[in-house]
Amino acid sequence: MEAHKSGIRVHCMRIAACVALAAVTAGGWSAAAHAATTPSAAPPAAPAQSGEQPLLSRGDSGPEVREVERRLKELGYWLGPADGEFDVRTSQAVFALQKAAGIGRDGIVGPNTRAALAEGPRPAASSSSGEVIEVDLDRQLLLVVRDGEVRHILNTSTGSGATYTSEGQTKVAVTPTGEYGIFRRVDGWDDGPLGSLYRPVYFNGGIAVHGYSSVPPYPASHGCVRVSIPAMDWLWTNGHATNGTPIVVR
């Protein structure tokens, strides 16, 4: 009896092997044939492409940031020392570069911004003599110009175009075009009906170039010309915003 059962088992195993072989021969690995095998391991993840450069943004630090800062300074975009820290100064300079290049204004150093750094766009001046502060409303840039040469390029935010109410009057947030001169300066925070302005230099009534904690890459002010607080300190310290300095808004 045991010999008879053993013979049956061998016969069945031979039949199963023949069925699997026939499945492979007829159509490759059929579902039945594949199920009889041990699943293979998942393929390894593709390695990162060599030469890829990382995205850089606010809060990053290191040699890659320092190289970006050096290039920005070389092109004239103000940011202070190239210290390898992607802080407010660096992000403001990146905004300014992106505006000059006509690309997305996100403050992040990605492929398009790296291409702009390589190409080196620089806005042109409209004045030809003396030291002048020029405000480019279309591109939202502040330029420090000397004898027709753009020396420094800063991000700025000017009048938003929105309506607002101040002291019972409804007004429109506009930075008027024209040629002006600085006639009054306040070395500190100057409180006004619309808030406090940092080290403002007034050039048209209550409109001033001043430092502010928020300088987005789009028009957002009530009419003043905003720059970052570090940038305003630099303008004061280096004598770029003295009484009588011409300001051209265009």
Side-chain angles (χ1 to χ4, degrees):
M1 180 64 70
E2 290 300 325
H4 178 68
K5 291 181 178 177
S6 177
I8 292 174
R9 283 196 296 270
V10 170
H11 181 65
C12 291
M13 290 173 65
R14 286 175 178 171
I15 291 173
C18 289
V19 171
L21 179 60
V24 172
T25 303
W29 287 104
S30 67
H34 185 63
T37 66
T38 302
S40 60
Q49 295 182 8
S50 60
E52 269 189 357
Q53 293 178 297
L55 296 178
L56 299 174
S57 60
R58 185 96 173 257
D60 288 335
S61 62
E64 293 90 354
V65 174
R66 185 175 292 107
E67 285 306 310
V68 167
E69 291 176 325
R70 285 174 179 168
R71 178 57 175 161
L72 287 165
K73 287 175 67 70
E74 181 180 49
L75 293 172
Y77 294 91
W78 182 84
L79 54 75
D83 57 7
E85 299 293 331
F86 204 126
D87 56 13
V88 62
R89 299 173 299 105
T90 309
S91 63
Q92 289 286 301
V94 171
F95 280 146
L97 171 74
Q98 291 171 336
K99 290 176 175 183
I103 61 177
R105 306 170 181 182
D106 59 7
I108 297 173
V109 179
N112 291 340
T113 301
R114 289 187 186 278
L117 283 167
E119 294 169 5
R122 285 174 52 85
S126 64
S127 58
S128 58
S129 63
E131 180 151 307
V132 181
I133 291 176
E134 298 188 16
V135 180
D136 183 334
L137 295 179
D138 287 339
R139 286 185 284 190
Q140 292 289 282
L141 293 172
L142 184 147
L143 314 177
V144 177
V145 180
R146 182 177 297 164
D147 295 330
E149 179 185 351
V150 175
R151 297 294 185 92
H152 305 282
I153 309 159
L154 292 81
N155 180 52
T156 191
S157 177
T158 62
S160 66
T163 58
Y164 66 96
T165 301
S166 175
E167 299 178 321
Q169 294 183 336
T170 299
K171 302 177 182 180
V172 179
V174 172
T175 305
T177 60
E179 298 182 3
Y180 308 96
I182 295 173
F183 64 87
R184 185 169 74 90
R185 310 191 314 157
V186 177
D187 190 4
W189 288 95
D190 190 25
D191 295 331
L194 297 173
S196 296
L197 313 181
Y198 181 68
R199 301 186 92 174
V201 291
Y202 293 92
F203 62 89
N204 180 11
I207 297 177
V209 176
H210 67 84
Y212 205 65
S213 57
S214 173
V215 189
Y218 52 83
S221 82
H222 290 98
C224 284
V225 179
R226 296 182 188 176
V227 296
S228 69
I229 288 175
M232 200 64 213
D233 282 336
W234 173 80
L235 287 170
W236 268 74
T237 302
N238 290 273
H240 296 304
T242 59
N243 281 330
T245 299
I247 293 185
V248 177
V249 181
R250 52 184 173 84

